[in-house]
Amino acid sequence: MKLYCKNCNNLLTINSLKKSKFDEIKFVDESELLPNGKYIEASKVDYNFEIPIGYLINTKSILLKDHKESIRFNGCCGPSEFSTLNQVCSKCNFEIGVLVADCWTSRFIGIDISKVSLKPLWQ
């Protein structure tokens, strides 16, 4: 699976992502939730997002940058926001996902599926 920004058509994934099995998930504080290059549907994991997150992805597997508003990075020792997008497209700054990386959570990026496409929208 590849992901493209719906706003500017920018390719967001470094390589094609492969679907993860539940037994590959590691619920270890401050460690990656998923192996590099993997994703899982958010509905398969028990996190309560207040925004429409469809996929959870390893943080090194997608090219996003931090939102310019620091208030979107609430948490104890890192971002643990489950209600606000804090990651944007590196090309056009379109809000795409949420980085979760606090001391009491595993690290991952949740992707708002309404903001991405699985195929390029234009050439």
Side-chain angles (χ1 to χ4, degrees):
M1 172 179 85
K2 292 186 178 183
L3 297 175
Y4 297 84
C5 175
K6 276 192 177 176
N7 189 58
C8 73
N9 208 38
N10 186 38
L11 178 62
L12 301 170
T13 49
I14 299 166
N15 296 307
S16 186
L17 301 175
K18 299 195 180 344
K19 192 171 192 174
S20 184
K21 295 181 175 143
F22 190 78
D23 63 357
E24 293 179 289
I25 296 173
K26 294 183 180 176
F27 294 100
V28 177
D29 296 349
E30 299 184 89
S31 295
E32 289 289 340
L33 179 70
L34 297 158
N36 196 7
K38 297 283 188 134
Y39 78 95
I40 194 162
E41 294 170 5
S43 62
K44 306 280 186 204
V45 182
D46 191 24
Y47 285 113
N48 295 316
F49 290 98
E50 298 172 28
I51 49 181
I53 298 300
Y55 304 117
L56 305 182
I57 297 176
N58 177 292
T59 61
K60 297 175 182 90
S61 300
I62 189 159
L63 301 171
L64 297 174
K65 64 182 184 179
D66 290 346
H67 200 286
K68 65 181 178 181
E69 295 175 3
S70 61
I71 190 133
R72 294 174 183 248
F73 293 89
N74 294 330
C76 170
C77 303
S80 62
E81 190 62 57
F82 287 89
S83 62
T84 305
L85 298 175
N86 63 19
Q87 297 294 293
V88 298
C89 174
S90 59
K91 185 175 179 182
C92 72
N93 294 318
F94 189 58
E95 295 176 359
I96 300 283
V98 58
L99 169 64
V100 175
D102 206 344
C103 61
W104 60 274
T105 64
S106 299
R107 288 182 60 91
F108 62 88
I109 292 182
I111 302 297
D112 181 337
I113 57 173
S114 71
K115 309 288 184 156
V116 296
S117 173
L118 300 178
K119 297 177 184 175
L121 296 176
W122 62 88
Q123 295 300 331

